[in-house]
Amino acid sequence: KLMHCNPVVSAGLQAMLRNERDFDLLPCDGTPSDTARLPSGRVPCVVVADHRQGLRQVLADPGSRCRVLVVEAVSRGWAVRTALQSGVLGYAAVDCPLPELLQGVRSVERGSRFLCASASQAMADSFAVGEITARELDVLRLLGSGLDNKSISRQLDIALSTVKVHVQAVLTKLNASSRTAAAVEAMRLGVIEVRGERA
C-alpha cells in the first residue's frame, strides 16, 4: 500500500513496485483505517509512506498486520529514531538505489528492521557526539530557536550563569565555535529537530 504525501514520489514508487512479480499493490484511500479492510488470511502487507503518514499508521493501528517502511527525501537521525521507536520497521531515502529500496520492502514484509545506507549513517552520526544531558538538550533546542541566554534562563527558570555553563558544554561536545554553529550541527546530526520538520 502506498500512503506517500508527495504525488511524484508516490507515482515513482507505484511504477517501481508494479514491476515486481512478488508484490501486489492494494487499493488505499490514504488513511490508516483503510488497512483494516485487508482480506483475512492475507500475509502482512507493507505500507510505504512518508514519515508523517508512517507514524500515523503505526500510532493509529498498532495491532495492524501492516508493516511500515518510511521513504523520505532526507534521512535525519532524530526522524529515523522517532520512527523506529514508534513502531516503523524500515526507513529509506528517496534517492537510495532501487535494489536497496526493494530490499527494504522485502525485509519489512518479513518483519525485519531495515535502514538504507544513508539512514544508517544518519543514526550513527546522531550518536557520534558526546553524551548531551537532558538540560543541555533543553538549552540546545532553545538555541536552535534563536533565543539568547537571558531568554533561555527565563524560559527554563534557571540562573543565567547556569545557562552559560550549558551553552559552553554543548559547544564543546558538538565541536562548534559559536551558538549558531552548535545549533546547525545539532540539526545536521539529528540531535535536535529541524524547524518545520516535526513528525
Side-chain angles (χ1 to χ4, degrees), residues 1 26 35 38 42-47 65-68 109:
K1 286 182 177 283
L26 302 175
T35 59
L38 283 174
R42 191 179 188 94
V43 297
C45 79
V46 176
V47 173
R65 285 173 291 150
C66 289
R67 296 163 178 169
V68 177
E109 190 276 328

Side-chain angles (χ1 to χ4, degrees), residues 3-191:
M3 295 173 61
H4 207 287
C5 67
N6 185 314
V8 175
V9 173
S10 183
L13 289 169
Q14 189 171 44
M16 174 197 74
L17 296 173
R18 189 177 285 130
N19 290 332
E20 298 302 308
R21 294 181 180 179
D22 55 333
F23 296 157
D24 290 323
L25 282 178
L26 302 175
C28 181
D29 64 15
T31 61
S33 60
D34 173 71
T35 59
R37 297 195 291 273
L38 283 174
S40 59
R42 191 179 188 94
V43 297
C45 79
V46 176
V47 173
V48 179
D50 57 277
H51 182 87
R52 186 182 303 274
Q53 289 278 47
L55 263 61
R56 282 185 63 210
Q57 170 65 41
V58 295
L59 295 174
D61 193 8
S64 171
R65 285 173 291 150
C66 289
R67 296 163 178 169
V68 177
L69 171 68
V70 167
V71 177
E72 268 294 339
V74 179
S75 298
R76 287 195 169 89
W78 73 266
V80 178
R81 287 200 309 270
T82 299
L84 296 180
Q85 289 167 355
S86 298
V88 166
L89 278 182
Y91 211 99
V94 168
D95 61 353
C96 76
L98 178 57
E100 193 174 16
L101 192 55
L102 294 174
Q103 178 190 350
V105 175
R106 292 185 174 99
S107 294
V108 169
E109 190 276 328
R110 292 193 302 269
S112 301
R113 289 199 180 276
F114 173 83
L115 294 176
C116 73
S118 63
S120 296
Q121 186 62 55
M123 284 280 285
D125 287 347
S126 71
F127 290 112
V129 298
E131 186 173 346
I132 296 175
T133 67
R135 182 53 91 188
E136 288 168 355
L137 190 55
D138 290 337
V139 170
L140 191 50
R141 287 187 181 117
L142 295 175
L143 279 179
S145 298
L147 296 186
D148 60 21
N149 286 357
K150 287 184 181 179
S151 299
I152 294 172
S153 172
R154 285 193 298 269
Q155 186 143 339
L156 296 179
D157 194 25
I158 58 178
L160 182 58
S161 59
T162 303
V163 172
K164 291 178 180 177
V165 169
H166 289 320
V167 169
Q168 187 55 53
V170 297
L171 289 176
T172 300
K173 290 177 180 180
L174 292 168
N175 195 26
S177 58
S178 69
R179 300 155 57 88
T180 301
V184 169
E185 181 67 0
M187 291 176 190
R188 184 188 74 79
L189 294 173
V191 176

